[in-house]
């Protein structure tokens, strides 16, 4: 299983930076998890192959690229882009994005080959297939309806928390997952912005450490994601100072193989 966090932020010289304003993971060049930079950062091969998009929640940094991605492909799609999401997320997309005022309602449109957008509703604790992958969903603790996922293929699996604060059901799920190859977990704010993390339901390095105490697989690699770009270096320094075993920062753009 191959995973890449697509780039989303440009530095002052015009080059891709390590900052992460948007979230979009691509697995095996075929399935996207979230769609923040989906339209702007996919390779030609990924744009050709991705027809399944799995959404953790409906915040802008996780969905911003979805309308443009479908727009780019509109005339040439020979199958719809399938958006797998909770009912509440689909409702937000239809009410606030694909509403004709912000962007066309692609769920009502067709090209010469048929529909261009299809919704696949998922439940809070479902097991389902997406392309060649098996997915298990679980509620996490964010400000809006949000899901974490365990993604499996053959004998490999990875877990993604999505955006979250402290949680329990997620740990119950991944602690019973055999053969876990990697855990991706968020850490959005530095410790001195704990009040903001509380309000917005995110983690800080200290809170991340307490959450990882709930993770029984101490040998599993842990990759930290969703560092707010304004505080990235501070968050990294605070995480490193904790000397957490098997924990590193996921590199934007790098292709990981599990």
């Amino acid at each position: 299983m191959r995973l890449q966090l697509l780039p989303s932020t440009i530095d002052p010289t015009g080059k891709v930076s390590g900052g992460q304003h948007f979230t979009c993971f691509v697995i095996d060049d075929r399935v996207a998890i979230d769609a923040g930079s989906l339209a702007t950062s996919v390779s030609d091969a990924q744009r050709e192959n991705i027809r399944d998009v799995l959404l953790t929640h409906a915040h802008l940094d996780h969905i911003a690229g979805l309308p443009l991605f479908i727009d780019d492909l509109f005339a040439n799609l020979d199958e719809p882009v399938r958006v797998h999401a909770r009912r509440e997320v689909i409702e937000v997309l239809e009410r606030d994005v694909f509403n004709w005022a912000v962007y066309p309602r692609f769920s009502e449109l067709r090209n010469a080959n048929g529909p261009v957008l299809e919704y696949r509703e998922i439940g809070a604790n479902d097991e389902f297939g997406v392309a060649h992958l098996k997915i298990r969903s679980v509620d996490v603790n964010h400000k809006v309806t949000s899901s974490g996922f365990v993604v499996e293929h053959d004998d490999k699996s990875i877990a993604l928390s999505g955006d979250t604060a402290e949680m329990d059901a997620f740990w119950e799920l991944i602690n019973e997952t055999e053969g876990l190859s990697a855990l991706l977990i968020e850490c959005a704010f530095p410790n001195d912005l704990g009040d903001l993390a509380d309000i917005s339901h995110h983690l800080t390095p200290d809170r991340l450490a307490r959450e990882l105490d709930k993770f029984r697989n101490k040998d599993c690699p842990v990759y930290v994601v969703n560092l707010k770009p304004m505080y990235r270096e501070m968050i990294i320094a605070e995480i490193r100072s904790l000397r957490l075993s098997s924990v590193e920062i996921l590199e934007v753009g790098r292709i990981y193989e599990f």
Side-chain angles (χ1 to χ4, degrees):
M1 190 169 4
R2 300 166 71 247
L3 177 139
Q4 182 184 28
L5 172 58
L6 296 185
S8 65
T9 303
I10 305 300
D11 71 17
T13 70
K15 296 180 179 179
V16 170
S17 79
Q20 185 191 345
H21 277 102
F22 299 103
T23 296
C24 181
F25 299 98
V26 174
I27 297 179
D28 293 339
D29 293 334
R30 290 182 59 189
V31 175
I33 299 181
D34 288 332
S37 52
L38 181 59
T40 54
S41 298
V42 287
S43 67
D44 289 343
Q46 289 167 340
R47 184 178 291 104
E48 180 70 22
N49 291 323
I50 293 171
R51 294 298 179 267
D52 290 281
V53 180
L54 182 62
L55 297 179
T56 61
H57 65 295
H59 280 161
L60 183 64
D61 52 325
H62 295 257
I63 66 167
L66 182 61
L68 296 172
F69 182 73
I70 300 171
D71 200 347
D72 286 344
L73 295 170
F74 186 95
N76 297 319
L77 283 169
D78 55 14
E79 60 180 307
V81 174
R82 295 171 289 272
V83 175
H84 307 259
R86 297 283 298 279
R87 175 180 54 81
E88 294 89 341
V89 174
I90 294 169
E91 289 174 353
V92 170
L93 292 175
E94 286 290 282
R95 184 188 69 227
D96 299 327
V97 180
F98 298 120
N99 59 5
W100 293 110
V102 174
Y103 226 74
R105 179 162 281 148
F106 286 126
S107 61
E108 296 179 352
L109 298 179
R110 303 168 64 91
N111 66 10
N113 300 312
V116 296
L117 169 62
E118 178 181 293
Y119 292 114
R120 300 280 181 90
E121 184 179 327
I122 64 177
N125 297 284
D126 273 1
E127 184 174 307
F128 54 97
V130 176
H132 61 299
L133 305 172
K134 183 172 80 172
I135 311 291
R136 286 182 289 167
S137 64
V138 61
D139 275 344
V140 294
N141 178 21
H142 200 33
K143 194 70 173 178
V144 296
T145 298
S146 300
S147 300
F149 300 111
V150 172
V151 181
E152 300 181 25
H153 180 54
D154 292 336
D155 59 346
K156 302 292 186 180
S157 60
I158 59 175
L160 303 92
S161 72
D163 288 7
T164 189
E166 292 82 356
M167 52 190 171
D168 291 314
F170 179 81
W171 297 115
E172 293 172 6
L173 174 61
I174 68 168
N175 281 334
E176 67 183 26
T177 300
E178 297 182 1
L180 193 65
S181 300
L183 164 64
L184 279 63
I185 186 168
E186 81 120 74
C187 187
F189 292 107
N191 290 322
D192 65 358
L193 290 179
D195 288 346
L196 181 54
D198 270 342
I199 294 168
S200 55
H201 290 213
H202 284 291
L203 294 176
T204 65
D206 283 348
R207 294 172 187 187
L208 170 64
R210 291 195 292 271
E211 287 301 291
L212 289 177
D213 283 341
K214 305 173 185 177
F215 185 29
R216 293 202 293 264
N217 189 348
K218 301 304 182 186
D219 295 325
C220 178
V222 176
Y223 297 96
V224 182
V225 298
N226 197 43
L227 291 73
K228 296 292 186 182
M230 286 293 293
Y231 312 109
R232 178 178 172 81
E233 297 308 318
M234 187 182 304
I235 296 168
I236 291 174
E238 291 179 350
I239 290 173
R240 287 176 176 165
S241 73
L242 294 169
R243 301 186 182 278
L244 299 170
S245 177
S246 302
V247 174
E248 59 182 277
I249 309 302
L250 192 81
E251 294 181 34
V252 174
R254 175 179 167 184
I255 296 173
Y256 291 80
E257 296 200 21
F258 304 108

PDB file of all heavy atoms in Angstrom, residues 10-22:
ATOM      1  N   ILE A  10       2.736  26.819  -0.800  1.00  0.00           N
ATOM      2  CA  ILE A  10       3.871  27.319  -1.560  1.00  0.00           C
ATOM      3  C   ILE A  10       4.669  28.298  -0.699  1.00  0.00           C
ATOM      4  O   ILE A  10       4.091  29.147  -0.015  1.00  0.00           O
ATOM      5  CB  ILE A  10       3.397  28.020  -2.851  1.00  0.00           C
ATOM      6  CG1 ILE A  10       2.501  27.080  -3.680  1.00  0.00           C
ATOM      7  CG2 ILE A  10       4.585  28.501  -3.678  1.00  0.00           C
ATOM      8  CD1 ILE A  10       3.165  25.805  -4.107  1.00  0.00           C
ATOM      9  N   ASP A  11       6.006  28.185  -0.738  1.00  0.00           N
ATOM     10  CA  ASP A  11       6.831  29.111   0.035  1.00  0.00           C
ATOM     11  C   ASP A  11       7.076  30.394  -0.758  1.00  0.00           C
ATOM     12  O   ASP A  11       6.675  30.498  -1.926  1.00  0.00           O
ATOM     13  CB  ASP A  11       8.129  28.437   0.488  1.00  0.00           C
ATOM     14  CG  ASP A  11       9.105  28.175  -0.651  1.00  0.00           C
ATOM     15  OD1 ASP A  11       8.960  28.774  -1.741  1.00  0.00           O
ATOM     16  OD2 ASP A  11      10.034  27.370  -0.453  1.00  0.00           O
ATOM     17  N   PRO A  12       7.744  31.399  -0.180  1.00  0.00           N
ATOM     18  CA  PRO A  12       7.919  32.685  -0.869  1.00  0.00           C
ATOM     19  C   PRO A  12       8.721  32.609  -2.166  1.00  0.00           C
ATOM     20  O   PRO A  12       8.653  33.528  -2.991  1.00  0.00           O
ATOM     21  CB  PRO A  12       8.648  33.538   0.178  1.00  0.00           C
ATOM     22  CG  PRO A  12       8.248  32.955   1.487  1.00  0.00           C
ATOM     23  CD  PRO A  12       8.147  31.490   1.240  1.00  0.00           C
ATOM     24  N   THR A  13       9.473  31.530  -2.375  1.00  0.00           N
ATOM     25  CA  THR A  13      10.239  31.383  -3.609  1.00  0.00           C
ATOM     26  C   THR A  13       9.429  30.693  -4.710  1.00  0.00           C
ATOM     27  O   THR A  13       9.927  30.496  -5.818  1.00  0.00           O
ATOM     28  CB  THR A  13      11.520  30.570  -3.355  1.00  0.00           C
ATOM     29  OG1 THR A  13      11.172  29.201  -3.083  1.00  0.00           O
ATOM     30  CG2 THR A  13      12.310  31.146  -2.180  1.00  0.00           C
ATOM     31  N   GLY A  14       8.197  30.317  -4.397  1.00  0.00           N
ATOM     32  CA  GLY A  14       7.350  29.635  -5.365  1.00  0.00           C
ATOM     33  C   GLY A  14       7.495  28.134  -5.368  1.00  0.00           C
ATOM     34  O   GLY A  14       6.916  27.454  -6.228  1.00  0.00           O
ATOM     35  N   LYS A  15       8.229  27.588  -4.403  1.00  0.00           N
ATOM     36  CA  LYS A  15       8.408  26.139  -4.313  1.00  0.00           C
ATOM     37  C   LYS A  15       7.449  25.540  -3.283  1.00  0.00           C
ATOM     38  O   LYS A  15       7.013  26.213  -2.355  1.00  0.00           O
ATOM     39  CB  LYS A  15       9.850  25.809  -3.936  1.00  0.00           C
ATOM     40  CG  LYS A  15      10.874  26.246  -4.984  1.00  0.00           C
ATOM     41  CD  LYS A  15      12.283  25.882  -4.536  1.00  0.00           C
ATOM     42  CE  LYS A  15      13.299  26.299  -5.586  1.00  0.00           C
ATOM     43  NZ  LYS A  15      14.699  25.980  -5.160  1.00  0.00           N
ATOM     44  N   VAL A  16       7.163  24.259  -3.450  1.00  0.00           N
ATOM     45  CA  VAL A  16       6.325  23.549  -2.490  1.00  0.00           C
ATOM     46  C   VAL A  16       7.019  23.524  -1.135  1.00  0.00           C
ATOM     47  O   VAL A  16       8.217  23.261  -1.040  1.00  0.00           O
ATOM     48  CB  VAL A  16       6.047  22.113  -2.963  1.00  0.00           C
ATOM     49  CG1 VAL A  16       5.377  21.301  -1.865  1.00  0.00           C
ATOM     50  CG2 VAL A  16       5.170  22.126  -4.213  1.00  0.00           C
ATOM     51  N   SER A  17       6.267  23.835  -0.091  1.00  0.00           N
ATOM     52  CA  SER A  17       6.814  23.816   1.263  1.00  0.00           C
ATOM     53  C   SER A  17       6.271  22.624   2.034  1.00  0.00           C
ATOM     54  O   SER A  17       5.390  21.897   1.557  1.00  0.00           O
ATOM     55  CB  SER A  17       6.456  25.106   2.003  1.00  0.00           C
ATOM     56  OG  SER A  17       5.124  25.057   2.482  1.00  0.00           O
ATOM     57  N   GLY A  18       6.786  22.446   3.256  1.00  0.00           N
ATOM     58  CA  GLY A  18       6.298  21.367   4.110  1.00  0.00           C
ATOM     59  C   GLY A  18       5.017  21.710   4.821  1.00  0.00           C
ATOM     60  O   GLY A  18       4.461  20.867   5.534  1.00  0.00           O
ATOM     61  N   GLY A  19       4.533  22.928   4.677  1.00  0.00           N
ATOM     62  CA  GLY A  19       3.295  23.336   5.324  1.00  0.00           C
ATOM     63  C   GLY A  19       2.093  22.612   4.762  1.00  0.00           C
ATOM     64  O   GLY A  19       2.088  22.159   3.621  1.00  0.00           O
ATOM     65  N   GLN A  20       1.064  22.519   5.571  1.00  0.00           N
ATOM     66  CA  GLN A  20      -0.142  21.779   5.179  1.00  0.00           C
ATOM     67  C   GLN A  20      -1.376  22.626   5.457  1.00  0.00           C
ATOM     68  O   GLN A  20      -1.975  22.536   6.518  1.00  0.00           O
ATOM     69  CB  GLN A  20      -0.220  20.444   5.937  1.00  0.00           C
ATOM     70  CG  GLN A  20      -1.376  19.565   5.508  1.00  0.00           C
ATOM     71  CD  GLN A  20      -1.597  18.377   6.442  1.00  0.00           C
ATOM     72  OE1 GLN A  20      -0.743  18.040   7.243  1.00  0.00           O
ATOM     73  NE2 GLN A  20      -2.762  17.765   6.331  1.00  0.00           N
ATOM     74  N   HIS A  21      -1.778  23.439   4.467  1.00  0.00           N
ATOM     75  CA  HIS A  21      -3.020  24.185   4.606  1.00  0.00           C
ATOM     76  C   HIS A  21      -4.232  23.324   4.276  1.00  0.00           C
ATOM     77  O   HIS A  21      -5.325  23.565   4.789  1.00  0.00           O
ATOM     78  CB  HIS A  21      -3.014  25.420   3.694  1.00  0.00           C
ATOM     79  CG  HIS A  21      -2.309  26.601   4.269  1.00  0.00           C
ATOM     80  ND1 HIS A  21      -1.035  26.973   3.906  1.00  0.00           N
ATOM     81  CD2 HIS A  21      -2.696  27.486   5.212  1.00  0.00           C
ATOM     82  CE1 HIS A  21      -0.673  28.050   4.588  1.00  0.00           C
ATOM     83  NE2 HIS A  21      -1.661  28.383   5.385  1.00  0.00           N
ATOM     84  N   PHE A  22      -4.045  22.357   3.383  1.00  0.00           N
ATOM     85  CA  PHE A  22      -5.133  21.479   2.950  1.00  0.00           C
ATOM     86  C   PHE A  22      -4.736  20.033   3.172  1.00  0.00           C
ATOM     87  O   PHE A  22      -3.549  19.705   3.191  1.00  0.00           O
ATOM     88  CB  PHE A  22      -5.457  21.700   1.470  1.00  0.00           C
ATOM     89  CG  PHE A  22      -5.909  23.085   1.144  1.00  0.00           C
ATOM     90  CD1 PHE A  22      -5.044  23.993   0.530  1.00  0.00           C
ATOM     91  CD2 PHE A  22      -7.194  23.496   1.444  1.00  0.00           C
ATOM     92  CE1 PHE A  22      -5.462  25.272   0.234  1.00  0.00           C
ATOM     93  CE2 PHE A  22      -7.624  24.781   1.147  1.00  0.00           C
ATOM     94  CZ  PHE A  22      -6.750  25.667   0.545  1.00  0.00           C
TER      95      PHE A  22
END
